[in-house]
Amino acid sequence: MKEKIHMHRYERIWLMFGGGTLVVFLVVLFILAFWMGMTPPSDMQVVNAAEVDKTPPFDKPGLHQVGPHEYDAVMIGFVFGFNPNVLEVPAGSTVNFKLTSKDVVHGFEIAGTNVNLMLLPGHVNTISYTFEKPGEYLAVCNEYCGTGHQFMSAKIIVK
Ligand code: CUA
């Protein structure tokens, strides 16, 4: 016996809309991934999270001058803070941030800039930023990491 499924017209339209949206999303995803080549970083530097304090460059956290107006900022995120938590650079300096976490997932976002990193234990994440305007920049953890999450911050003083 053949039974015909009864479907309301609006139901059918809604189903087509849902299916169509899914197809559009998949097409966009495939274009971004295979045609525009947007992929997550594949060759991220790794570090043993349990040995962060003994592994270069994290055995010497801090600001290291590498050029006339260029610095490497080696920082470690932990519950609940950053080491170091104050950096001082002259205006016009390019800072190459190199960060990792030694416990859980943290974030590193500098307010008013496009610096926004995720700190995954076991991985090193980097970003460079040129601080043109003098002032105090607040860096915060933007990944909820526990009871002290809201206290996890650092300061970059540009003068
Ligand atoms: Cu670290 Cu939130």
Side-chain angles (χ1 to χ4, degrees):
M1 197 177 91
K2 216 174 155 195
E3 222 177 297
K4 205 176 170 216
I5 301 168
H6 177 76
M7 207 186 264
H8 197 277
R9 196 166 73 94
Y10 289 142
E11 220 172 2
R12 214 166 36 232
I13 293 171
W14 187 237
L15 209 67
M16 273 156 60
F17 175 75
T21 313
L22 185 67
V23 170
V24 169
F25 278 140
L26 286 174
V27 167
V28 168
L29 193 75
F30 272 77
I31 290 174
L32 288 178
F34 296 107
W35 187 53
M36 299 178 76
M38 281 186 200
T39 54
S42 57
D43 49 359
M44 273 177 86
Q45 196 190 330
V46 291
V47 59
N48 181 348
E51 305 266 294
V52 166
D53 293 323
K54 292 179 218 151
T55 314
F58 299 102
D59 55 340
K60 292 187 185 74
L63 199 67
H64 311 295
Q65 188 156 14
V66 292
H69 305 287
E70 196 177 344
Y71 298 83
D72 279 354
V74 177
M75 297 172 81
I76 303 166
F78 59 92
V79 285
F80 297 100
F82 293 101
N83 178 24
N85 62 6
V86 181
L87 299 177
E88 258 188 61
V89 293
S93 305
T94 298
V95 180
N96 311 313
F97 292 94
K98 284 189 177 62
L99 285 97
T100 191
S101 162
K102 59 180 191 180
D103 35 54
V104 298
V105 176
H106 297 285
F108 182 73
E109 178 179 3
I110 304 176
T113 72
N114 63 352
V115 175
N116 189 351
L117 298 178
M118 202 180 200
L119 312 184
L120 302 165
H123 289 270
V124 180
N125 209 346
T126 59
I127 192 169
S128 293
Y129 187 79
T130 302
F131 292 90
E132 301 290 1
K133 271 193 279 172
E136 272 191 26
Y137 294 73
L138 178 70
V140 294
C141 172
N142 59 5
E143 297 284 340
Y144 183 73
C145 52
T147 48
H149 163 71
Q150 67 272 25
F151 304 116
M152 195 169 162
S153 68
K155 204 161 56 175
I156 297 135
I157 302 163
V158 180
K159 46 188 191 176

